Amino acid sequence: VTVTYRWRGEVANGELNALLAEAFDTRVFDEHEWNWAELLHAHSLGWVVARDGEALIGFVNVVWDGLVHAWLQDTMVAAAARHRGIGEELVARAAAESRAAWCEWLHVDFDEHLRAFYLDACGFAPTSAGLLAL
Ligand SMILES: CC(C)(COP(=O)(O)OP(=O)(O)OC[C@H]1O[C@@H](n2cnc3c(N)ncnc32)[C@H](O)[C@@H]1OP(=O)(O)O)[C@@H](O)C(=O)NCCC(=O)NCCS
């Protein structure tokens, strides 16, 4: 299987909302609720799309402050495609593109069970962070 990765690649609302529902165990939002195509182009530094043929199997969004800080959001790999290094490659490409855009820091926050993924596999350093439920 050849996986293709595209920075700022074409991606449709329906396929992203389906992948998100699987990855985060949500219902499937429709594009009036969550219009990725519009939001990504308006607010993100970029995003990485992974496909196996036509099928969307991975995605990560990179939001930013417009200058030096970038943040990963919604890192996700389809359940059937996990543990093949696709998540690691999505994050590596997001980091490389953020560096190329002159960002100096890439942030991510995650649940405890993903420490091995972000710290060991992807190379992030642990840090203090805060989170406020709204
Ligand atoms: C987290 C996620 C993106 C990882 O994708 P992936 O393609 O399976 O990751 P990789 O194959 O690149 O993993 C590399 C290594 O990271 C670690 N790792 C990956 N997923 C992990 C998990 N769920 N728990 C603990 N370690 C994990 C493992 O060491 C893995 O190596 P291994 O497969 O040889 O054990 C995927 O599990 C996913 O979409 N999860 C649901 C959504 C989610 O929680 N996203 C993160 C939001 S912060």
Side-chain angles (χ1 to χ4, degrees), residues 43-128:
H43 300 293
S44 292
L45 171 64
W47 57 94
V48 184
V49 174
R51 291 187 187 278
D52 175 356
E54 298 285 293
L56 179 69
I57 57 165
F59 174 83
V60 65
N61 190 10
V62 184
V63 292
W64 70 326
D65 67 351
L67 206 61
V68 291
H69 292 275
W71 288 262
L72 293 183
Q73 195 62 46
D74 297 321
T75 312
M76 46 196 184
V77 171
R82 288 182 195 162
H83 299 291
R84 284 170 22 201
I86 295 168
E88 201 180 319
E89 185 66 23
L90 285 168
V91 172
R93 286 173 184 246
E97 294 289 351
S98 301
R99 197 176 293 117
W102 303 102
C103 286
E104 294 176 11
W105 299 101
L106 185 61
H107 305 250
V108 68
D109 66 84
F110 49 84
D111 290 340
E112 193 58 30
H113 73 278
L114 289 172
R115 280 183 79 87
F117 175 65
Y118 284 110
L119 303 189
D120 303 336
C122 298
F124 282 77
T127 185
S128 302

Side-chain angles (χ1 to χ4, degrees), residues 14-24 56-59 76-79:
E15 57 181 353
L16 256 183
N17 279 322
L19 180 63
L20 183 113
E22 185 192 63
F24 296 106
L56 179 69
I57 57 165
F59 174 83
M76 46 196 184
V77 171

